[in-house]
Amino acid sequence: MALTWNRAVEWDADDWRKHAACRHTEPDLFFPVGTTGPAVEQIEAAKRVCQTCAAIEPCLEFALATNQESGIWGGTSEEERRKLRKSWLAARRRAS
């Protein structure tokens, strides 16, 4: 089943996940508890996995389109996505 967002973005939700570098990584790595102390190291480790991933762009697009508020998605932290989502939504509104 394809998921479409404002007709500008279309992806097969299962397709990009088949190529995700995180598929064979402990999922807890991508969902740190907090943003300080040991969580900082965990966030950086998760982002390193993302940087090797062929699916980093569709993963981030999915996270923005579905408003994923927790975890590391597409190489971004929760705070980074909050900032990105504002400009991402504005761009989608302009495109429609």
Side-chain angles (χ1 to χ4, degrees):
M1 177 177 180
L3 180 60
T4 303
W5 180 265
N6 285 344
R7 298 181 195 251
V9 177
E10 185 175 318
W11 67 89
D12 180 330
D14 292 331
D15 187 49
W16 66 267
R17 289 183 179 141
K18 290 177 188 174
H19 305 289
C22 61
R23 277 186 65 154
H24 305 291
T25 307
E26 177 60 43
D28 289 345
L29 177 66
F30 298 91
F31 295 93
V33 177
T35 57
T36 60
V40 172
E41 215 171 282
Q42 187 177 346
I43 290 166
E44 291 307 313
K47 286 182 174 184
R48 282 192 299 275
V49 172
C50 294
Q51 294 308 312
T52 69
C53 186
I56 192 169
E57 290 180 25
C59 177
L60 177 57
E61 193 77 21
F62 175 83
L64 294 171
T66 59
N67 199 23
Q68 297 297 316
E69 294 181 356
S70 300
I72 306 300
W73 289 83
T76 62
S77 67
E78 298 162 4
E79 182 62 31
E80 291 165 333
R81 273 194 317 285
R82 274 193 281 282
K83 292 175 184 175
L84 280 173
R85 193 157 196 277
K86 290 178 185 180
S87 60
W88 184 85
L89 285 171
R92 294 301 171 276
R93 282 192 286 271
R94 286 191 302 273
S96 59

